Structure formats: C-alpha cells, structure tokens
Amino acid sequence: MSKTKFVDFKAIKTQITMEQILEHYGLRDTFKKSGDSLSGPCPIHKGINPTQFRVSISKNIWNCFSECKHGGNALDFIARMENITIHAAALKAIEWFGLDPESLSIESDAEPEKANRAPKKAAPTKPAVKPESDAPNKPLKFRLDKLERDHPYLKDRGLTQETIVDFGVGFCAKGTMADRIAIPIHNVSGEIVAYAGRFPGEPGEGTPKYKLPQGFRKSLELFNCDRAFKEPPERPLVIVEGFFDCMTLHQAGYRKVVALMGSTMSAAQEKLILKNATHHSQILVMLDEDEAGQSGREDIANRLCRSVFVRIHMFDKENMQPEHLTAEEIKTIVQNS
Ligand SMILES: [Zn+2]
C-alpha cells in the first residue's frame, strides 16, 4: 500500500509564517522584532550572535548571515532544523499547524505514477485554509505516569508537594518529555491537551527551555483557565506569563490565575477570557518586568479594557516576575486591585 502524499508546497508556504514556526520551536522569545524583521541567534547552526539570523516578516523568508550563509522559506527552515527533505518538512508543517490537507491538494494513499488518474484535484476556487485555523487542540488519549514529584528542581522553584500534586507536574524519565519537568496543560473543559516539558535548570546553548508537542498550538489555550474560571466572579482574574508564576500565585492562595505561556495574548486567548467575563469583571495583568512583558501588558490592557476593568501591575524592579513574590505580597497586590 503506497502512502505517498502529494504536497502542494506553494499552498503550505502561504499558510504558515516563520513567526509561527519559531513559536513552535519555543524560540520566539529569543527573537527580537523590529519593523518588518525578527532577529536572533541562528537556531540551525546553533549560533549565539543575536543578529546573525534574520526573518523578513512580510516576505516570510529567513537568512543566516553567519555559518549557514543560507536562507529560504518556511519549509526550507523546517527541513534544515529537522534535517529532512522539503517534502517531509511540508508534512510536518501540516501536522504541527493543523492545516487541512484536503485544501492543500494532497492526495493520500495514491501511487505517484498514477496520480493523474486521481478523480479530483482540489479546485482552484477552493478557499485556502486560514493560517490560524480554529481547530482545537485534541485532548490527549494518554497520561504521563510515574512522574517524579520530588524532583529537586520543583523545590528550587519553591513549589510545595501539595502544589506539585495539584498541578500534576513532575520529572519525566522516559518518552517525548524525557529529562524534563512535564506540566499538563488543560483546555477550558479540564481535559489534558498537552504536556509542556521544562528543562530542569538553565538549558545550554541550543536547548530550548520549554518543549511542546508537535502540532500543539499553545495560542489556543490558557494555562489553568479550567479552574480559574470557576472561581467567584467578583474576584479579579490575574493574568501572568508563565506556568511557575501561575503555580506560585495558586500556592499563595490566589487561585483565579491563568498563564498565557508567553508575553503576548493571542486572539483565541482574548476570546476565551472575554467569554468568561462580564462587564463588571476585573482583570489584573501581571507580566514580567522586562521588555517583552512591558509591551505585552500594554497591548493586553488596550484590548481587554474595551470590555472589562483592567489594571496593570508594575513591579518596581527590573526583571521581577510574579513567581518572585511572597504569599504576603501577592495578597496585597490582588486585594488592592
Ligand atoms: Zn546559521
């Protein structure tokens, strides 16, 4: 049985952006945006110079001016990162970004030489898939069990045994999240849709801090929202960036907290927040006190303030994060909002 797939490279290239791909690799935060370009260290040759790799957002192409001395489109990038063919890269892109193979004129289970026999090719008038498809992340059919709950990294981050068990986090010895702290991510209905894998410590050059499963779109989820939305409506919803910020607030007794899993709020996350709010709802935006957090919170406040009461928390020290707060400080901040 031949499983050859015909891939319309052109169609796929227009469906995915370099920004989405960097996000997929957990690299987006290591890139700086300025005007039409994103620049950062080259993820292909694992460079360190922060300007050697550049992406043109409008053209959706990349270039490494250092070791690779090479550039290309989105598929070339995946092919080089994975060390696979363009064809295989296209299939990966379809899987990762939930593209609809039907409308990308792919015929599966066909033999290449008999392709012309295939009854119908995708009609040219067929609308293309939107880059941000609304297909939700599918609930996982498995659970990572035997996670080590007493891993020292979790204690280093200040988590108590109760919080560790409550959030179901733990060190994973085997499988796709091997040697990482696995953090289950639930959708709004409380089903696990992915495990994020945090490197337990400071990762070395080229090793991402977080690993997310292929195809998982974190922009569609809000960490801990399944529980936070069940909290009393009169309490403010606190929005933080990271898993550990969220767990820290939760541990301090403030449970109406969600994490964006980054410093920006996606359209889907905005929708989810507003769907679970009224115009009396209050939102406290508490992102990290760094450049990304500062620009992220402005944008979030601007978008949410049209529908709810929004307050921004600013830390008085650079690089402060909600995770660094004591339980007492968290209490004071939330109560004053
Ligand atoms: Zn390079």
Side-chain angles (χ1 to χ4, degrees):
M1 256 259 234
S2 170
K3 280 262 183 190
T4 308
K5 293 185 178 186
F6 295 92
V7 181
D8 182 347
F9 298 124
K10 233 200 217 148
I12 293 171
K13 277 186 294 196
T14 58
Q15 304 302 323
I16 48 170
T17 66
M18 278 303 297
E19 203 164 0
Q20 283 177 302
I21 297 171
L22 291 175
E23 176 114 345
H24 171 81
Y25 281 107
L27 294 167
R28 177 60 189 85
D29 294 344
T30 60
F31 276 74
K32 274 219 163 90
K33 197 175 201 161
S34 103
D36 180 49
S37 68
L38 287 168
S39 52
C42 174
I44 299 168
H45 80 265
K46 301 197 180 8
I48 46 166
N49 180 332
T51 58
Q52 67 193 173
F53 187 90
R54 226 166 297 156
V55 171
S56 157
I57 298 169
S58 59
K59 292 187 188 137
N60 206 24
I61 53 169
W62 57 276
N63 243 302
C64 167
F65 299 98
S66 181
E67 227 164 279
C68 305
K69 287 195 181 52
H70 200 89
N73 60 44
L75 290 181
D76 297 321
F77 181 73
I78 297 175
R80 290 208 158 220
M81 284 293 280
E82 305 289 321
N83 202 10
I84 52 179
T85 62
I86 301 286
H87 181 266
L91 296 180
K92 281 223 183 288
I94 292 171
E95 188 194 325
W96 294 349
F97 301 105
L99 304 180
D100 177 10
E102 278 296 301
S103 61
L104 295 169
S105 15
I106 288 171
E107 278 128 35
S108 49
D109 299 325
E111 288 159 58
E113 57 277 12
K114 290 184 186 156
N116 54 0
R117 203 188 58 180
K120 53 172 182 181
K121 282 250 192 279
T125 49
K126 214 168 183 178
V129 200
K130 285 179 282 162
E132 282 287 312
S133 105
D134 281 336
N137 290 310
K138 286 200 190 88
L140 297 184
K141 292 198 181 77
F142 67 92
R143 294 285 172 274
L144 291 180
D145 48 9
K146 299 198 186 99
L147 293 177
E148 268 174 56
R149 309 275 186 213
D150 53 359
H151 192 275
Y153 180 77
L154 294 168
K155 298 214 171 66
D156 284 353
R157 296 285 298 245
L159 300 184
T160 62
Q161 197 59 26
E162 198 190 341
T163 307
I164 292 167
V165 172
D166 197 9
F167 279 88
V169 298
F171 182 76
C172 190
K174 283 191 295 217
T176 51
M177 290 298 157
D179 301 324
R180 285 177 175 263
I181 301 290
I183 306 170
I185 301 171
H186 298 81
N187 61 17
V188 70
S189 326
E191 298 160 307
I192 298 183
V193 283
Y195 286 92
R198 173 64 163 90
F199 186 85
E202 272 310 305
E205 183 76 20
T207 304
K209 233 186 226 182
Y210 281 98
K211 204 171 142 181
L212 287 166
Q214 291 189 353
F216 172 67
R217 293 175 60 209
K218 74 171 182 183
S219 60
L220 299 183
E221 313 295 340
L222 258 180
F223 182 66
N224 199 46
C225 75
D226 56 314
R227 300 197 292 189
F229 290 153
K230 291 196 190 106
E231 293 288 313
E234 64 278 9
R235 282 189 202 154
L237 174 73
V238 181
I239 300 179
V240 296
E241 285 187 31
F243 300 111
F244 287 88
D245 298 318
C246 183
M247 290 190 269
T248 302
L249 260 73
H250 195 271
Q251 182 167 295
Y254 199 77
R255 306 191 156 204
K256 196 163 176 181
V257 52
V258 292
L260 299 168
M261 302 178 277
S263 54
T264 54
M265 176 178 71
S266 69
Q269 289 173 328
E270 178 180 357
K271 223 161 133 189
L272 202 53
I273 292 168
L274 294 179
K275 203 175 152 193
N276 288 277
T278 67
H279 8 264
H280 302 293
S281 296
Q282 300 170 57
I283 288 182
L284 174 59
V285 184
M286 200 180 349
L287 305 193
D288 298 358
E289 200 64 46
D290 55 23
E291 218 176 291
Q294 286 155 358
S295 76
R297 71 192 180 199
E298 291 296 321
D299 174 61
I300 293 169
N302 281 335
R303 284 156 65 191
L304 293 180
C305 73
R306 297 171 204 150
S307 323
V308 294
F309 292 105
V310 188
R311 196 172 77 97
I312 291 180
H313 178 75
M314 293 181 220
F315 293 99
D316 46 17
K317 264 197 265 149
E318 193 70 10
N319 294 321
M320 267 292 284
Q321 298 174 13
E323 190 192 345
H324 302 148
L325 296 169
T326 64
E328 210 43 51
E329 288 167 332
I330 291 168
K331 218 168 142 191
T332 315
I333 294 169
V334 177
Q335 273 173 358
N336 290 338
S337 74

